[in-house]
Amino acid sequence: MTWNNLLQPDLILEGSVLNLTPDIIQQSGLKGLVLDVDETLVPFRVGIASPELQTWVKEIRGCTALCLVSNNLSEARIGGIARSLNLPYYLGAAKPSRRKIRAALQAMNLPVHQVGMVGDRLFTDVLAGNRLGMFTILVEPIIHPEAALRSHPVRNFEVWVSEILGASITPKKNKIHKT
C-alpha cells in the first residue's frame, strides 16, 4: 500500500464526531467503531464526557459496537471517560501501532472491514486503521474553548505532509456534513 493510500481517510466528516449519525454508519456498512479519545471525543485536558457526547454514544450504541483506543497513558483520565460512557477501552495504544486496535477488533468479534476507525489525526488514527484494512473516518478535533484561538499545528503539519506524499484531504467517498 502506498503512502497516499495509507494516509487517505475513507470518509472526512465536517465537524466533530457528534456529526457521525447512525445513517452514515449504516450506509458505510459498519457494525463497530473504534474511537480515539483525545480531541476526537473530548478536548485534550478534559477528563469527563460532555452531556452531548453521552447522548451521542447512547444513540450510536443502538446500531454499532463501540470501543475506545487511546494513545494516552492516563488510566484515571481515559478510564474515567470510558466508564462515564460505559465503554470498553485500551490505553497506551501507540498508534499507528495496530496491537491495541487488534485487541479491540477481537473483543468486538467483527470482521475488520465492518469496523470504522474514527479519529482526528492522519498519522495515528487514519494510518493505523488503513494499515489494518478498516474503514477510516477523519473528524475535526474537539478543542477546549480556551485553546480554540490557537491553530492546530500538528494536524496542519500532518495534512501538509500527507498531501506532499499524494494523499488528499478530499475523501475517497463524499464528504459528509450534518444539516
Side-chain angles (χ1 to χ4, degrees):
M1 191 176 267
T2 61
W3 275 109
N4 59 325
N5 288 332
L6 285 171
L7 295 171
Q8 182 67 56
D10 291 299
L11 176 67
I12 298 172
L13 198 66
E14 290 184 351
S16 77
V17 70
L18 301 177
N19 289 342
L20 185 57
T21 65
D23 286 343
I24 295 168
I25 293 167
Q26 290 170 347
Q27 289 168 10
S28 301
L30 301 175
K31 302 216 186 294
L33 295 176
V34 172
L35 302 164
D36 174 52
V37 179
D38 289 326
E39 296 189 342
T40 296
L41 299 181
V42 296
F44 186 67
R45 289 196 164 75
V46 173
I48 57 170
S50 69
E52 295 85 5
L53 179 61
Q54 291 177 0
T55 300
W56 179 82
V57 166
K58 285 177 188 169
E59 178 185 14
I60 298 303
R61 179 181 275 131
C63 70
T64 188
L66 300 171
C67 185
L68 307 182
V69 176
S70 177
N71 283 354
N72 197 307
L73 293 170
S74 173
E75 166 63 38
R77 183 169 172 275
I78 302 302
I81 292 166
R83 285 185 291 280
S84 74
L85 298 170
N86 193 27
L87 294 176
Y89 65 99
Y90 294 86
L91 302 172
K95 293 174 281 180
S97 170
R98 297 166 286 184
R99 188 171 58 93
K100 300 269 176 113
I101 298 171
R102 280 190 186 118
L105 290 167
Q106 186 174 10
M108 287 182 181
N109 196 28
L110 291 169
V112 69
H113 68 276
Q114 290 182 353
V115 181
M117 178 67 222
V118 182
D120 66 305
R121 302 275 309 277
L122 290 166
F123 278 63
T124 56
D125 308 311
V126 172
L127 180 57
N130 282 339
R131 289 178 68 207
L132 286 166
M134 299 171 77
F135 185 88
T136 53
I137 302 171
L138 182 68
V139 299
E140 293 178 16
I142 296 175
I143 299 172
H144 195 281
E146 293 172 8
L149 296 177
R150 291 183 299 180
S151 67
H152 205 277
V154 173
R155 182 179 164 111
N156 294 342
F157 178 76
E158 287 180 350
V159 169
W160 179 73
V161 170
S162 67
E163 288 176 344
I164 287 172
L165 293 172
S168 170
I169 300 309
T170 304
K172 291 183 219 173
K173 300 197 184 288
N174 290 332
K175 188 179 259 194
I176 303 289
H177 60 280
K178 194 172 179 180
T179 54

